[in-house]
Amino acid sequence: MDPLEDVLTLTAATGHLSTSMAAGGRWGLRFTPLDGVKFNAIRRGRCLLRVDGLADPLALTAGDCFLLTRPVPFELASDADAPVEPADPVFRAAIDRVARVGTGDEVFLIGGRFSFRGRARALLLDGLPPVIHIPGATPEADAVHWAIDRIDREVRRSQIGSTLVAEHLAVVMLIQVLRFHLATAAAPASGWLAGLTDPVVGPALRAMHDRPADRWTVEALASAAAVSRSTLAARFSALVGKGPLDYLTGWRIELAADRLRRGDGTLASIARDVGYGSESALSVAFKRVTGSSPTAYRGSPSI
């Protein structure tokens, strides 16, 4: 399986559509942080995006969309000096799933958020910038726009099953946004996602995800990547931030945590399936990585 598919499956990545927004005249809204990843697409008009912690606002126009990868407050406004009001009351007063602010509707946005379950969400989000902006005029973003167009169509038609279809399309959009970011990042990308597209690190990652229970060594992974042991070790650490075998340990623990959370199998069978020769070996590694024993983790109400 593709490692990205692995992680999206493990995190149960789910799209949730929110109320759309129409705005006009001079207006501004301040949004409280949401758990997960927030997205919006500007379907017509233009506005400014200000994100807490970032120095400069981002000018958005029709066709643009953005992803907020951190749960931080942000503002959308008609201009830099527009008065700002809390967004929550405006959205609570929405009619027919459209919130209205200002004096007109020359600006229209659709949006929502992505939720992720479990510890593996860090693999997906670590290394991403706080904001990913996809300009409407960028040819590389065609696949993102395709998904947004169809989400918008489903929202407007309100046919049977439209919400479910739109939320599945939102996950398609998320994958396309991640692809867009990796293909167009101005600075050299780093982190696990960047490793997937690297000619040295990518084959090693795919080998570990294909067969996590194998007795991998750095030498065997280097062979899978067709490079020397030292080349793989250096490149993997520089890009992913940890060595190949440390990554393998972390991935095995994520797989074990998912099985424990779902009550899928005995500790002995889970240990065997993720590459540990005994329950005790898994328990030692599990506690070292998570700070909790497998038994305590399985019984935790917060997982």
Side-chain angles (χ1 to χ4, degrees), residues 17 32 156 179:
L17 292 185
T32 55
R156 291 177 182 276
R179 288 176 175 174

Side-chain angles (χ1 to χ4, degrees), residues 204-285:
L205 282 171
R206 287 189 288 274
M208 286 186 276
H209 279 252
D210 282 344
R211 304 190 305 280
D214 279 16
R215 294 181 178 276
W216 289 111
T217 62
V218 176
E219 185 175 4
L221 290 167
S223 178
V227 295
S228 69
R229 183 181 184 278
S230 59
T231 296
L232 175 66
R235 181 64 179 166
F236 203 104
S237 296
L239 200 57
V240 180
K242 61 182 69 175
L245 298 186
D246 287 338
Y247 175 86
L248 176 62
T249 296
W251 179 242
R252 286 171 169 171
I253 297 307
E254 297 302 341
L255 294 174
D258 179 61
R259 295 274 299 274
L260 290 166
R261 182 171 51 245
R262 293 186 287 111
D264 180 14
T266 65
L267 188 57
S269 66
I270 293 171
R272 181 182 62 250
D273 292 345
V274 301
Y276 289 94
S278 66
E279 294 181 32
S280 61
L282 172 60
S283 295
V284 169

